[in-house]
Amino acid sequence: MMSDEEREEKELDLTSPEVVTKYKTAADIVNRALQLVISECKPKAKIVDICEKGDSFIREQTGNVYKNVKKKIERGVAFPTCISVNNTVCHFSPLSSDETVMEEGDMLKIDLGCHIDGFIAVVAHTHVLQEGPVTGRAADVIAAANTAAEVALRLVRPGKKNKDVTEAIQKVAASYDCRIVEGVLSHQMKQFVIDGNKVVLSVANPETRVDEAEFEENEVYSIDIVTSTGEGKPKLLDEKQTTIYKRAVDRNYHLKMKASRFIFSEITQKFPIMPFTARALEEKRARLGLVECVNHDLLQPYPVLQEKPGDYIAHIKFTVLLMPNGSDRVTSHPLQDLQPTITTDDPEIKAWLALGTKTKKKGGGKKKKGKKGDKTEDPTSAEPMDTTANGAESQE
């Protein structure tokens, strides 16, 4: 007989239909939040206002589901809405006092996440603030990220290893004369864990080593692809821009400053597990108190990183459920019309894109006759520029 603990432990992955539903409900909210954020992006709009709208929408929508369950479940923002512009790589979610606005032609990386009962869905998307097709190097860098994401989707499957994905996405980026940005990790996600132990490196180099890992059925991953027309080695230029933090659950330290203790107790109450933005704290005392918390490793900062001015950066992140019948990409958004200067005709990349995302079951059932050359169930897959990856689950 299984003990209750073992049963609890066992049921909290994708073998439980209820867990799958929670992931998909969170993903639906994330896709709609992304849609809302994109629709609010207009020249001269204040970035902080739109970030706030994204977070409010997630709070409101998650508040509307699982309301009448006996046991109260946690739900809400799992990653604050960020809008990082042009050569800013990631994590830009400024404080309320920040006056930064977006301009016509800006390349916006939108990044957000939500959870229901700790089951997390995240997404990131790149949108250029302009009418009509995206051209030139801007189109190349987005095409590189999108094609790398499509390839990763096909290689993150049971039996494959994390290093297979790392190598493949670098090859894709290079084929567009772009670089995969260093230091970005794709993580396995579990209940209440946004950055699980199994990771995929964006770039393998001597400084960053991770344990080799094999993907397994019923796992969930956040696949995070950032491409650059520059060197792909972003720098932290201004620590004051950092506003997103996550409580390091396993660390303790007796804080000396009253402001730090005040802020840390607020974090422990409001944001015990998921990343949060300092904007959501009693702001006047936040900056001061956060410094001591970070210095003693009680909080993990998510720094705002920059490439060189003039570099184009694209970001695509999606959540994938490794279901028994294949990979289910549950977060995405269609891209704008892209006219890249480079088309990749590398046979290895084409072969990766031609892989299906569904698992063929052995035996049984007559095989449907496919059209000539129809190698996969997903007709869009061999065409990396088609933006409706997997029929884009986003709700228009």
Side-chain angles (χ1 to χ4, degrees):
M1 288 289 284
M2 276 198 301
S3 72
D4 283 353
E5 278 92 64
E6 284 175 313
R7 195 174 291 113
E8 278 279 76
E9 188 56 32
K10 191 157 173 33
E11 283 166 356
L12 296 182
D13 71 4
L14 298 179
T15 51
S16 150
E18 197 184 333
V19 168
V20 175
T21 302
K22 285 173 180 172
Y23 273 118
K24 290 194 168 173
T25 307
D28 173 55
I29 292 170
V30 153
N31 288 330
R32 287 186 291 128
L34 174 57
Q35 177 70 38
L36 170 79
V37 168
I38 292 170
S39 72
E40 293 285 340
C41 289
K42 298 181 173 72
K44 301 290 182 232
K46 250 164 77 168
I47 290 179
V48 64
D49 293 348
I50 303 179
C51 291
E52 201 43 68
K53 280 182 179 157
D55 292 352
S56 300
F57 179 85
I58 291 173
R59 282 193 293 268
E60 172 194 308
Q61 295 292 315
T62 51
N64 287 338
V65 294
Y66 291 92
K67 273 197 293 213
N68 306 324
V69 287
K70 286 194 193 73
K71 189 170 154 248
K72 185 181 168 292
I73 66 166
E74 299 283 325
R75 51 205 200 276
V77 174
F79 201 84
T81 306
C82 303
I83 304 177
S84 307
V85 176
N86 297 335
N87 60 308
T88 301
V89 177
C90 53
H91 305 149
F92 190 78
S93 187
L95 299 176
S96 312
S97 53
D98 188 280
E99 296 293 329
T100 311
V101 298
M102 48 186 69
E103 302 288 359
E104 179 79 30
D106 278 352
M107 186 176 281
L108 312 171
K109 275 81 65 188
I110 302 162
D111 188 1
L112 48 89
C114 122
H115 79 97
I116 290 170
D117 197 16
F119 298 105
I120 301 163
V122 289
V123 74
H125 177 75
T126 301
H127 176 76
V128 180
L129 203 52
Q130 65 172 61
E131 295 297 317
V134 179
T135 58
R137 292 295 282 153
D140 291 347
V141 78
I142 299 174
N146 185 54
T147 307
E150 289 291 336
V151 166
L153 173 63
R154 287 157 176 77
L155 295 181
V156 176
R157 56 193 316 162
K160 291 275 188 201
K161 294 195 166 61
N162 53 357
K163 68 174 194 322
D164 303 335
V165 180
T166 304
E167 287 163 12
I169 62 175
Q170 291 196 261
K171 180 161 188 177
V172 170
S175 77
Y176 287 95
D177 197 17
C178 293
R179 295 264 172 88
I180 295 281
V181 170
E182 287 184 12
V184 179
L185 292 175
S186 297
H187 286 274
Q188 183 186 4
M189 297 194 293
K190 295 179 176 177
Q191 189 182 26
F192 291 111
V193 181
I194 199 166
D195 47 6
N197 293 335
K198 280 193 183 181
V199 300
V200 179
L201 276 177
S202 52
V203 177
N205 57 27
E207 297 89 76
T208 45
R209 281 228 139 76
V210 295
D211 293 340
E212 185 168 297
E214 193 172 295
F215 306 111
E216 292 171 55
E217 205 168 275
N218 295 317
E219 291 179 337
V220 178
Y221 284 88
S222 125
I223 302 300
D224 207 347
I225 311 275
V226 185
T227 49
S228 171
T229 57
E231 288 177 14
K233 296 176 196 269
K235 305 221 170 3
L236 170 61
L237 297 184
D238 180 4
E239 271 182 22
K240 284 197 199 58
Q241 282 193 322
T242 304
T243 62
I244 297 179
Y245 301 89
K246 180 167 88 68
R247 166 111 159 69
V249 190
D250 51 348
R251 300 305 282 265
N252 286 301
Y253 173 78
H254 185 68
L255 292 160
K256 306 281 183 281
M257 286 162 52
K258 192 176 170 193
S260 310
R261 292 200 295 273
F262 173 82
I263 209 73
F264 194 64
S265 90
E266 188 190 349
I267 290 165
T268 305
Q269 280 158 25
K270 283 196 192 166
F271 310 107
I273 297 172
M274 299 291 175
F276 63 91
T277 160
R279 207 172 47 243
L281 300 168
E282 305 293 320
E283 207 173 301
K284 290 161 285 304
R285 312 167 71 161
R287 177 62 59 203
L288 195 61
L290 288 168
V291 173
E292 193 186 4
C293 295
V294 170
N295 287 345
H296 294 284
D297 299 328
L298 293 177
L299 295 176
Q300 172 197 330
Y302 287 80
V304 177
L305 301 174
Q306 315 270 349
E307 282 267 69
K308 294 191 174 65
D311 291 344
Y312 290 111
I313 317 288
H315 188 186
I316 292 181
K317 174 162 55 178
F318 62 88
T319 303
V320 60
L321 314 181
L322 302 190
M323 302 296 289
N325 65 347
S327 303
D328 193 355
R329 175 181 178 168
V330 291
T331 59
S332 66
H333 189 282
L335 291 169
Q336 289 157 290
D337 182 18
L338 301 179
Q339 296 177 355
T341 67
I342 298 168
T343 41
T344 175
D345 43 18
D346 182 290
E348 192 175 16
I349 294 172
K350 284 196 157 155
W352 285 326
L353 290 167
L355 295 168
T357 56
K358 297 286 172 248
T359 312
K360 307 274 194 296
K361 285 283 173 247
K362 294 176 183 63
K366 287 201 181 71
K367 200 169 177 316
K368 286 212 294 281
K369 277 207 172 74
K371 288 191 214 61
K372 201 168 172 221
D374 180 13
K375 291 193 284 294
T376 88
E377 281 99 328
D378 179 0
T380 64
S381 62
E383 189 53 60
M385 282 334 306
D386 193 301
T387 56
T388 52
N390 274 12
E393 289 84 358
S394 69
Q395 275 63 32
E396 288 297 85

